Amino acid sequence: MLSTLSVMLALPGCAPERDCTLIGAPAGVSLTIAPPLAARVSEAELTACGGGSCTTARPPLSPADRVTTQTCDADSCGATLTRTGGKRGFGDVAGLPKAPVEVRVKLKGADGGTVLDRTLTVTPRGSFPNGPDCGEGGPQAAITVSGDGGLSAAT
């Protein structure tokens, strides 16, 4: 009986350890702007309000890409990216709750004029950049702006 108990106590230590990287996942809102509207946008401002406070972020915008071809062999995989004509960015929003927040999306053109100014309610979710066994990162939400200026919460 004692030998059985010894083996059972040792078994939990036999499980392989999971390696967790130090990659972070900040709290914030990602923004994707579809063409043709993206061509008119040079700057974005996101104001997230919830729990009695508001935080404004100005995410830098980059050209959006998509994978057009992917190849794999025994040792590695590769992908070809193609520009979509859209833009994307991520705004850090410290203290973003995992509860509904109202996000004002304000897009400006190169001349500083407002291209779009709309609001959408989203519910940020916890992020797990290394999987659920390595701990939760900051809550995140994603907003997509359609080519004609409509807002939607991306899933």
Side-chain angles (χ1 to χ4, degrees):
M1 175 87 161
L2 184 57
S3 64
T4 303
L5 182 59
S6 297
V7 170
M8 289 178 66
L9 290 174
L11 286 177
C14 293
E17 286 188 33
R18 174 164 165 80
D19 288 332
C20 297
T21 67
L22 296 177
I23 189 169
V29 178
S30 68
L31 179 67
T32 302
I33 308 165
L37 181 66
R40 298 176 35 217
V41 175
S42 62
E43 188 178 325
E45 180 179 286
L46 303 172
T47 302
C49 297
S53 67
C54 295
T55 302
T56 298
R58 290 176 180 80
L61 298 176
S62 303
D65 298 321
R66 67 180 170 88
V67 175
T68 51
T69 60
Q70 184 174 358
T71 58
C72 293
D73 60 28
D75 297 321
S76 64
C77 290
T80 303
L81 300 176
T82 303
R83 295 266 162 95
T84 66
K87 293 183 179 174
R88 65 180 56 174
F90 184 86
D92 289 325
V93 182
L96 190 65
K98 290 191 287 184
V101 293
E102 192 172 85
V103 180
R104 178 181 181 191
V105 178
K106 189 172 185 178
L107 305 177
K108 295 182 180 184
D111 64 357
T114 299
V115 174
L116 179 126
D117 190 350
R118 297 209 173 138
T119 302
L120 178 69
T121 299
V122 297
T123 303
R125 295 188 216 170
S127 57
F128 297 87
N130 286 291
D133 294 335
C134 289
E136 184 174 349
Q140 297 181 351
I143 295 177
T144 298
V145 182
S146 67
D148 63 0
L151 298 184
S152 62
T155 54

PDB file of all heavy atoms in Angstrom, residues 28-45:
ATOM      1  N   GLY A  28      -5.851  46.714 -24.490  1.00  0.00           N
ATOM      2  CA  GLY A  28      -6.054  47.721 -25.526  1.00  0.00           C
ATOM      3  C   GLY A  28      -7.070  47.316 -26.575  1.00  0.00           C
ATOM      4  O   GLY A  28      -7.745  46.296 -26.462  1.00  0.00           O
ATOM      5  N   VAL A  29      -7.139  48.160 -27.598  1.00  0.00           N
ATOM      6  CA  VAL A  29      -8.104  47.992 -28.680  1.00  0.00           C
ATOM      7  C   VAL A  29      -7.361  47.976 -30.009  1.00  0.00           C
ATOM      8  O   VAL A  29      -6.582  48.886 -30.303  1.00  0.00           O
ATOM      9  CB  VAL A  29      -9.148  49.136 -28.680  1.00  0.00           C
ATOM     10  CG1 VAL A  29     -10.123  48.980 -29.828  1.00  0.00           C
ATOM     11  CG2 VAL A  29      -9.885  49.188 -27.341  1.00  0.00           C
ATOM     12  N   SER A  30      -7.601  46.920 -30.797  1.00  0.00           N
ATOM     13  CA  SER A  30      -7.027  46.878 -32.143  1.00  0.00           C
ATOM     14  C   SER A  30      -8.040  47.475 -33.113  1.00  0.00           C
ATOM     15  O   SER A  30      -9.251  47.391 -32.898  1.00  0.00           O
ATOM     16  CB  SER A  30      -6.640  45.457 -32.551  1.00  0.00           C
ATOM     17  OG  SER A  30      -7.781  44.657 -32.713  1.00  0.00           O
ATOM     18  N   LEU A  31      -7.522  48.088 -34.152  1.00  0.00           N
ATOM     19  CA  LEU A  31      -8.346  48.789 -35.132  1.00  0.00           C
ATOM     20  C   LEU A  31      -7.929  48.355 -36.524  1.00  0.00           C
ATOM     21  O   LEU A  31      -6.737  48.362 -36.852  1.00  0.00           O
ATOM     22  CB  LEU A  31      -8.149  50.299 -34.967  1.00  0.00           C
ATOM     23  CG  LEU A  31      -8.902  51.215 -35.920  1.00  0.00           C
ATOM     24  CD1 LEU A  31     -10.410  51.126 -35.648  1.00  0.00           C
ATOM     25  CD2 LEU A  31      -8.428  52.651 -35.750  1.00  0.00           C
ATOM     26  N   THR A  32      -8.903  47.959 -37.331  1.00  0.00           N
ATOM     27  CA  THR A  32      -8.670  47.625 -38.734  1.00  0.00           C
ATOM     28  C   THR A  32      -9.570  48.518 -39.573  1.00  0.00           C
ATOM     29  O   THR A  32     -10.786  48.585 -39.322  1.00  0.00           O
ATOM     30  CB  THR A  32      -8.976  46.138 -39.017  1.00  0.00           C
ATOM     31  OG1 THR A  32      -8.165  45.328 -38.168  1.00  0.00           O
ATOM     32  CG2 THR A  32      -8.713  45.790 -40.460  1.00  0.00           C
ATOM     33  N   ILE A  33      -8.988  49.198 -40.546  1.00  0.00           N
ATOM     34  CA  ILE A  33      -9.736  50.103 -41.422  1.00  0.00           C
ATOM     35  C   ILE A  33      -9.654  49.544 -42.831  1.00  0.00           C
ATOM     36  O   ILE A  33      -8.568  49.359 -43.387  1.00  0.00           O
ATOM     37  CB  ILE A  33      -9.152  51.527 -41.389  1.00  0.00           C
ATOM     38  CG1 ILE A  33      -9.016  52.021 -39.942  1.00  0.00           C
ATOM     39  CG2 ILE A  33     -10.006  52.484 -42.212  1.00  0.00           C
ATOM     40  CD1 ILE A  33      -8.133  53.235 -39.778  1.00  0.00           C
ATOM     41  N   ALA A  34     -10.809  49.273 -43.417  1.00  0.00           N
ATOM     42  CA  ALA A  34     -10.871  48.664 -44.743  1.00  0.00           C
ATOM     43  C   ALA A  34     -10.767  49.720 -45.842  1.00  0.00           C
ATOM     44  O   ALA A  34     -11.100  50.890 -45.635  1.00  0.00           O
ATOM     45  CB  ALA A  34     -12.178  47.889 -44.887  1.00  0.00           C
ATOM     46  N   PRO A  35     -10.309  49.292 -47.032  1.00  0.00           N
ATOM     47  CA  PRO A  35     -10.338  50.202 -48.173  1.00  0.00           C
ATOM     48  C   PRO A  35     -11.785  50.351 -48.664  1.00  0.00           C
ATOM     49  O   PRO A  35     -12.600  49.473 -48.387  1.00  0.00           O
ATOM     50  CB  PRO A  35      -9.470  49.497 -49.220  1.00  0.00           C
ATOM     51  CG  PRO A  35      -9.461  48.051 -48.824  1.00  0.00           C
ATOM     52  CD  PRO A  35      -9.721  48.004 -47.343  1.00  0.00           C
ATOM     53  N   PRO A  36     -12.149  51.392 -49.304  1.00  0.00           N
ATOM     54  CA  PRO A  36     -11.316  52.508 -49.751  1.00  0.00           C
ATOM     55  C   PRO A  36     -11.142  53.604 -48.688  1.00  0.00           C
ATOM     56  O   PRO A  36     -10.341  54.503 -48.867  1.00  0.00           O
ATOM     57  CB  PRO A  36     -12.060  53.051 -50.962  1.00  0.00           C
ATOM     58  CG  PRO A  36     -13.506  52.807 -50.641  1.00  0.00           C
ATOM     59  CD  PRO A  36     -13.516  51.502 -49.877  1.00  0.00           C
ATOM     60  N   LEU A  37     -11.882  53.516 -47.569  1.00  0.00           N
ATOM     61  CA  LEU A  37     -11.795  54.544 -46.539  1.00  0.00           C
ATOM     62  C   LEU A  37     -10.359  54.697 -46.021  1.00  0.00           C
ATOM     63  O   LEU A  37      -9.897  55.812 -45.773  1.00  0.00           O
ATOM     64  CB  LEU A  37     -12.737  54.228 -45.371  1.00  0.00           C
ATOM     65  CG  LEU A  37     -12.762  55.247 -44.236  1.00  0.00           C
ATOM     66  CD1 LEU A  37     -13.340  56.571 -44.716  1.00  0.00           C
ATOM     67  CD2 LEU A  37     -13.568  54.722 -43.063  1.00  0.00           C
ATOM     68  N   ALA A  38      -9.635  53.594 -45.880  1.00  0.00           N
ATOM     69  CA  ALA A  38      -8.275  53.624 -45.326  1.00  0.00           C
ATOM     70  C   ALA A  38      -7.359  54.572 -46.090  1.00  0.00           C
ATOM     71  O   ALA A  38      -6.478  55.199 -45.496  1.00  0.00           O
ATOM     72  CB  ALA A  38      -7.686  52.217 -45.313  1.00  0.00           C
ATOM     73  N   ALA A  39      -7.554  54.716 -47.380  1.00  0.00           N
ATOM     74  CA  ALA A  39      -6.699  55.591 -48.189  1.00  0.00           C
ATOM     75  C   ALA A  39      -6.822  57.052 -47.764  1.00  0.00           C
ATOM     76  O   ALA A  39      -5.893  57.833 -47.972  1.00  0.00           O
ATOM     77  CB  ALA A  39      -7.050  55.446 -49.670  1.00  0.00           C
ATOM     78  N   ARG A  40      -7.929  57.416 -47.154  1.00  0.00           N
ATOM     79  CA  ARG A  40      -8.158  58.808 -46.732  1.00  0.00           C
ATOM     80  C   ARG A  40      -7.704  59.068 -45.303  1.00  0.00           C
ATOM     81  O   ARG A  40      -7.754  60.195 -44.831  1.00  0.00           O
ATOM     82  CB  ARG A  40      -9.646  59.140 -46.860  1.00  0.00           C
ATOM     83  CG  ARG A  40     -10.149  59.049 -48.285  1.00  0.00           C
ATOM     84  CD  ARG A  40     -11.658  59.280 -48.427  1.00  0.00           C
ATOM     85  NE  ARG A  40     -12.204  60.250 -47.516  1.00  0.00           N
ATOM     86  CZ  ARG A  40     -13.410  60.152 -46.944  1.00  0.00           C
ATOM     87  NH1 ARG A  40     -14.181  59.112 -47.197  1.00  0.00           N
ATOM     88  NH2 ARG A  40     -13.837  61.085 -46.120  1.00  0.00           N
ATOM     89  N   VAL A  41      -7.280  58.028 -44.580  1.00  0.00           N
ATOM     90  CA  VAL A  41      -6.972  58.135 -43.150  1.00  0.00           C
ATOM     91  C   VAL A  41      -5.464  58.164 -42.926  1.00  0.00           C
ATOM     92  O   VAL A  41      -4.737  57.314 -43.432  1.00  0.00           O
ATOM     93  CB  VAL A  41      -7.595  56.960 -42.377  1.00  0.00           C
ATOM     94  CG1 VAL A  41      -7.197  56.990 -40.912  1.00  0.00           C
ATOM     95  CG2 VAL A  41      -9.103  56.962 -42.532  1.00  0.00           C
ATOM     96  N   SER A  42      -5.011  59.131 -42.121  1.00  0.00           N
ATOM     97  CA  SER A  42      -3.598  59.182 -41.771  1.00  0.00           C
ATOM     98  C   SER A  42      -3.371  59.088 -40.259  1.00  0.00           C
ATOM     99  O   SER A  42      -2.253  58.875 -39.814  1.00  0.00           O
ATOM    100  CB  SER A  42      -2.958  60.469 -42.305  1.00  0.00           C
ATOM    101  OG  SER A  42      -3.559  61.594 -41.722  1.00  0.00           O
ATOM    102  N   GLU A  43      -4.443  59.225 -39.477  1.00  0.00           N
ATOM    103  CA  GLU A  43      -4.308  59.246 -38.022  1.00  0.00           C
ATOM    104  C   GLU A  43      -5.580  58.705 -37.378  1.00  0.00           C
ATOM    105  O   GLU A  43      -6.684  58.928 -37.887  1.00  0.00           O
ATOM    106  CB  GLU A  43      -4.094  60.699 -37.598  1.00  0.00           C
ATOM    107  CG  GLU A  43      -3.747  60.936 -36.172  1.00  0.00           C
ATOM    108  CD  GLU A  43      -3.518  62.431 -35.913  1.00  0.00           C
ATOM    109  OE1 GLU A  43      -2.990  63.133 -36.786  1.00  0.00           O
ATOM    110  OE2 GLU A  43      -3.888  62.869 -34.813  1.00  0.00           O
ATOM    111  N   ALA A  44      -5.417  57.999 -36.263  1.00  0.00           N
ATOM    112  CA  ALA A  44      -6.565  57.444 -35.536  1.00  0.00           C
ATOM    113  C   ALA A  44      -6.485  57.823 -34.062  1.00  0.00           C
ATOM    114  O   ALA A  44      -5.392  57.949 -33.500  1.00  0.00           O
ATOM    115  CB  ALA A  44      -6.614  55.927 -35.678  1.00  0.00           C
ATOM    116  N   GLU A  45      -7.657  57.974 -33.470  1.00  0.00           N
ATOM    117  CA  GLU A  45      -7.756  58.231 -32.032  1.00  0.00           C
ATOM    118  C   GLU A  45      -8.878  57.356 -31.492  1.00  0.00           C
ATOM    119  O   GLU A  45      -9.973  57.335 -32.040  1.00  0.00           O
ATOM    120  CB  GLU A  45      -8.065  59.707 -31.795  1.00  0.00           C
ATOM    121  CG  GLU A  45      -8.181  60.092 -30.342  1.00  0.00           C
ATOM    122  CD  GLU A  45      -8.457  61.576 -30.178  1.00  0.00           C
ATOM    123  OE1 GLU A  45      -7.519  62.372 -30.388  1.00  0.00           O
ATOM    124  OE2 GLU A  45      -9.610  61.925 -29.865  1.00  0.00           O
TER     125      GLU A  45
END
